[in-house]
Amino acid sequence: MKNSLIVAGIISFSLMASCVSKKKYTALESNLFKTQAQLASTNQEKAELEEKMAIIEARVAEYNARINSLREVNDQLADANSSMLSIEGAAVMSKNSRKKMIETLNKVDASKLAEAKTLEDSVNLAIEYNIKQNITADSEGNEDDIQIDIDKTVVMISVSDRLLFNTGSYRLNSKANPLLAKLAEVINAEPSLQVMIEGHTDPRTISNAVLQDNWDLSVKRATSIVRELQLKYGVAPEKMIAAGRSSYMPLVENDSKENMALNRRTRIVLIPDLDMFFAML
């Protein structure tokens, strides 16, 4: 009887133990499934995040490349800007031109230099000085017969009648040769420079077999100069314009011999672009 009880107890304990192990196994198996599912989900999320991160990194690299490119452009513009100097908020000149301008202004008469109130005035004064020095180098003391004015980048050279022509004539005299030679050098040095030659007379009437009036005289004086510059000094004809203004644009009143002499003149208008204008420094 006793042995039977012992055997029954052992069987009962074994059955209980077997039941508990199966429940734990089922629970563990369930937990494993959940963990595997979570791991798979996490791996998928990781892959998606890595793909998004790769896209973001590519965009960041592209933006950095653009930023670096813009910085290079900005540095280049800053360097270019630092080498330029503004004149009256419009025209721009290089530091090299400014250096040449200062060197030229050191040679200019102090009283004229005192009249320069702005940077543009100083540039005009320097260019006026250089051109006048060039074209009057061999003029044998006739510098007073040449007047140079500059309006923006247009250079106007007025030459007295007596330096170019005899009274009432459109034929050039020998005194004009040095001036025209130097003028041709200035014109030929700038390939795209445009030049207009204007003849001006006093109001005294003229009429002969060749000239009907002062219109004829003023135009024929201009064409005489244009022809001489072309044929003798090699100036390209397409760069030149011949014009006559008769007596209708006087500098002063024609009320004396001295004033009429001032009004008898030839005006040479040089029309350069901005770079060439500064090149005249």
Side-chain angles (χ1 to χ4, degrees):
M1 181 68 176
K2 186 177 180 180
N3 288 335
S4 297
L5 290 172
I6 291 171
V7 171
I10 291 171
I11 293 170
S12 177
F13 179 80
S14 297
L15 288 171
M16 289 176 64
S18 176
C19 290
V20 172
S21 297
K22 188 175 181 180
K23 286 180 180 179
K24 285 184 177 181
Y25 176 79
T26 301
L28 289 172
E29 190 177 48
S30 177
N31 288 337
L32 177 61
F33 177 78
K34 289 179 180 178
T35 302
Q36 288 175 336
Q38 289 175 351
L39 179 60
S41 177
T42 301
N43 286 336
Q44 184 178 355
E45 290 177 359
K46 179 186 176 185
E48 291 175 354
L49 288 173
E50 286 177 345
E51 185 179 352
K52 290 179 180 179
M53 182 60 70
I55 294 172
I56 292 171
E57 287 176 347
R59 287 180 179 174
V60 169
E62 182 183 353
Y63 291 150
N64 285 336
R66 289 183 183 179
I67 290 170
N68 290 333
S69 177
L70 289 173
R71 282 175 178 165
E72 290 177 4
V73 172
N74 184 65
D75 290 342
Q76 291 170 0
L77 291 174
D79 291 341
N81 186 57
S82 65
S83 67
M84 307 300 285
L85 183 66
S86 175
I87 299 177
E88 299 299 310
V92 176
M93 68 185 298
S94 68
K95 284 187 175 181
N96 184 52
S97 293
R98 187 186 183 201
K99 180 182 177 182
K100 291 180 180 179
M101 178 190 73
I102 293 172
E103 291 173 353
T104 301
L105 291 176
N106 288 332
K107 306 171 187 176
V108 174
D109 181 80
S111 61
K112 291 201 70 174
L113 192 58
E115 297 174 2
K117 304 300 182 184
T118 66
L119 181 57
E120 186 175 9
D121 292 341
S122 298
V123 172
N124 290 348
L125 188 60
I127 292 173
E128 174 188 338
Y129 177 87
N130 274 349
I131 293 177
K132 195 163 188 177
Q133 289 299 305
N134 283 334
I135 67 175
T136 62
D138 301 315
S139 59
E140 300 178 357
N142 293 310
E143 293 89 347
D144 292 341
D145 290 324
I146 300 171
Q147 178 67 41
I148 298 175
D149 297 296
I150 300 175
D151 183 14
K152 303 300 180 185
T153 60
V154 177
V155 181
M156 291 162 284
I157 306 169
S158 290
V159 184
S160 170
D161 173 73
R162 64 183 179 180
L163 201 58
L164 298 171
F165 304 100
N166 295 324
T167 303
S169 173
Y170 58 88
R171 299 187 185 281
L172 287 162
N173 61 42
S174 58
K175 290 187 294 184
N177 291 333
L179 172 64
L180 294 182
K182 290 294 183 179
L183 180 61
E185 286 182 15
V186 172
I187 297 171
N188 289 333
E190 304 297 344
S192 58
L193 186 70
Q194 295 294 305
V195 185
M196 182 164 66
I197 312 296
E198 286 183 354
H200 295 259
T201 70
D202 63 35
R204 291 179 298 178
T205 303
I206 184 170
S207 181
N208 55 41
V210 178
L211 303 173
Q212 181 176 338
D213 52 24
N214 282 321
W215 281 113
D216 279 351
L217 178 59
S218 63
V219 172
K220 288 190 74 65
R221 283 183 169 180
T223 55
S224 292
I225 294 173
V226 165
R227 192 176 292 110
E228 189 83 351
L229 289 173
Q230 176 187 353
L231 299 180
K232 188 172 182 178
Y233 299 105
V235 176
E238 63 270 17
K239 297 172 66 171
M240 296 186 289
I241 303 167
R245 306 302 293 264
S246 187
S247 61
Y248 298 108
M249 288 191 68
L251 293 175
V252 292
E253 292 293 331
N254 288 290
D255 51 7
S256 67
K257 289 183 178 180
E258 292 75 17
N259 282 355
M260 283 192 286
L262 289 175
N263 291 329
R264 293 192 303 272
R265 68 198 188 280
T266 297
R267 190 169 77 152
I268 302 155
V269 183
L270 307 180
I271 311 171
D273 64 23
L274 194 58
D275 290 337
M276 292 178 182
F277 182 69
F278 289 140
M280 291 179 178
L281 287 168

